[in-house]
Amino acid sequence: MASQNAGIIGMGHSYPEGILTNADLEKIVETSDEWITTRTGIKQRHKAAENEYTSMFGTEAAKRALEKAGLRPEDIELIVCATTTPDQILPCTGAIIQAQLGAHNAAGMDVFAACSGFLYGITMVESMIRTGQIKYALVIGAEVLTKYVDYTDRGTCILFGDGAGAAVLGPVPEDKGILATKIRSDGRFEEQLYCPGGGTKYGTTHETIDKRMHYFKMKGNELFKVAVRSMAEISAEMIEKAGLAVNDIDLVIPHQANQRITDAVASRLGVPEEKVYSNIAMHGNTSSASIPIAMDECIESGRITEGTTVLLTAFGGGVTWGGTVLRF
Ligand code: UT7
């Protein structure tokens, strides 16, 4: 069967208007703007209001991506929503977004791969377009993490923010689009970042709530090391698989987990600082939404134009990780 290159043909992003600054956090937990800035690079993060939820941002980002791609919702055959913070357990947020968009010819589904979810979606959809199974798909990373954050735990509550980014994928000419992509996981590291309550293992009870089991738990320090190693390794592997050298990469967009993680990955790869995009100061860690939000910002600011070769790499709870090399 003939192979069809798949690429991103439109992007959009959206986030709540509400902002939580480091100064706001100083009033909630024992922390300081100085500690958060030097240890993470974060200055503020967007925070959804009580009546705002994940699909709202996912749908808005998807609408903007469709507009940029010049497509109608009916043209989309698959909607992959990467999220760790779905609207509710059933139905999946992908189907909710499908209804909100009016994308009646699509199948909607969720990918539960934490911060690597967007790259999981891209990797799955790429092969479906390449083999001609579908023509156009939406891959969305959407999160309202602040509703899963324990605001008594200063080790996690300073990190996370809310938002969504979306990409329309479709056929692109040879030499363009996704040149190499790969996803990985290692469930043995489960307890480095997890949310134990509310599932079939520890169903929601007064006890699980009293024990704060419905909030994210993280061993940040251990995760840090695995994150740097995994992202650097898979990035190098994907650059090689794409038939490129590190110098051929015009822009690196890593998952925005911590500025120090980004710096360490770039340094391991030998990529100069000016080729690495960071928006963590303004958004914090938005999990699966961080890469598509960052990509769309780069498109809007002109850092990504036709012909730009981009390396994406992500790492998240699971643990999961991934790398993608693509040319616009
Ligand atoms: O998106 C998924 C992937 N996410 C990640 O990979 C996150 C990876 N981890 C990290 O980004 C970092 O580990 C953190 C930002 C979470 C923590 O930074 P760290 O440099 O690893 O700090 P630490 O956990 O080793 O803690 C150092 C000290 C501790 O105090 P002692 O034990 O040295 O007295 C902490 O209690 O900093 C303390 N600390 C804080 N102090 C002020 C921890 N959190 C805070 C805080 N404000 N918010």
Side-chain angles (χ1 to χ4, degrees):
M1 194 198 302
S3 187
Q4 168 63 62
N5 272 26
I8 291 175
I9 56 173
M11 292 203 74
H13 71 278
S14 163
Y15 42 74
E17 278 180 19
I19 285 175
L20 189 67
T21 64
N22 291 352
D24 295 329
L25 283 164
E26 282 176 354
K27 294 178 199 134
I28 303 171
V29 281
E30 203 187 323
T31 191
S32 66
D33 173 44
E34 202 260 329
W35 192 96
I36 301 171
T37 307
T38 53
R39 296 292 180 119
T40 71
I42 302 167
K43 298 298 277 181
Q44 64 165 49
R45 60 295 282 145
H46 291 268
K47 189 174 188 297
E50 274 300 310
N51 62 351
E52 290 178 317
Y53 42 90
T54 303
S55 64
M56 293 168 73
F57 304 106
T59 299
E60 188 52 40
K63 278 185 185 166
R64 292 176 191 177
L66 281 169
E67 206 181 299
K68 296 275 174 57
L71 293 178
R72 298 163 308 151
E74 299 90 319
D75 297 324
I76 299 296
E77 287 166 272
L78 180 66
I79 298 171
V80 179
C81 179
T83 185
T84 317
T85 53
D87 282 7
Q88 53 204 51
I89 200 72
L90 188 73
C92 66
T93 307
I96 295 171
I97 292 175
Q98 171 189 16
Q100 289 174 4
L101 288 173
H104 305 304
N105 298 319
M109 61 177 282
D110 286 7
V111 162
F112 234 108
C115 309
S116 313
F118 183 73
L119 297 193
Y120 269 60
I122 290 278
T123 304
M124 285 164 40
V125 162
E126 186 271 337
S127 61
M128 292 177 80
I129 294 173
R130 183 161 38 77
T131 54
Q133 205 178 137
I134 56 168
K135 191 168 182 193
Y136 295 117
L138 264 166
V139 179
I140 303 164
E143 306 281 5
V144 173
L145 294 152
T146 57
K147 294 196 184 182
Y148 279 89
V149 158
D150 185 349
Y151 284 97
T152 66
D153 174 10
R154 67 178 181 171
T156 55
C157 74
I158 53 134
L159 294 172
F160 297 106
D162 304 331
V168 177
L169 273 80
V172 295
E174 228 177 284
D175 244 25
K176 293 235 162 106
I178 294 155
L179 306 178
T181 189
K182 186 171 181 178
I183 48 176
R184 295 283 309 276
S185 74
D186 190 339
R188 289 172 297 182
F189 292 105
E190 173 195 343
E191 291 199 355
Q192 289 198 352
L193 176 52
Y194 68 117
C195 179
T200 54
K201 188 172 176 187
Y202 303 109
T204 309
T205 62
H206 290 289
E207 195 191 345
T208 62
I209 289 173
D210 289 345
K211 288 184 172 166
R212 310 184 83 74
M213 289 167 72
H214 53 300
Y215 291 126
F216 289 161
K217 323 264 171 223
M218 186 173 78
K219 293 178 184 150
N221 213 295
E222 289 171 35
L223 205 57
F224 192 110
K225 293 172 215 154
V226 193
V228 172
R229 192 177 62 234
S230 309
M231 287 202 281
E233 275 175 16
I234 207 160
S235 296
E237 190 187 334
M238 287 308 100
I239 293 170
E240 197 186 326
K241 195 174 168 204
L244 302 175
V246 173
N247 284 347
D248 298 322
I249 301 295
D250 300 312
L251 182 64
V252 180
I253 303 183
H255 165 52
Q256 309 284 310
N258 182 319
Q259 189 59 44
R260 290 186 297 135
I261 294 180
T262 294
D263 295 344
V265 171
S267 139
R268 279 201 185 199
L269 285 173
V271 177
E273 203 183 308
E274 60 274 14
K275 280 191 175 179
V276 184
Y277 187 70
S278 172
N279 64 11
I280 195 160
M282 305 308 285
H283 296 288
N285 178 346
T286 57
S287 190
S288 68
S290 92
I291 288 180
I293 290 175
M295 288 174 83
D296 195 35
E297 287 179 354
C298 289
I299 292 170
E300 284 180 342
S301 69
R303 274 192 87 169
I304 293 179
T305 53
E306 207 182 329
T308 308
T309 304
V310 184
L311 166 72
L312 311 173
T313 185
F315 179 87
V319 294
T320 59
W321 67 102
T324 304
V325 174
L326 72 163
R327 185 171 298 129
F328 276 81

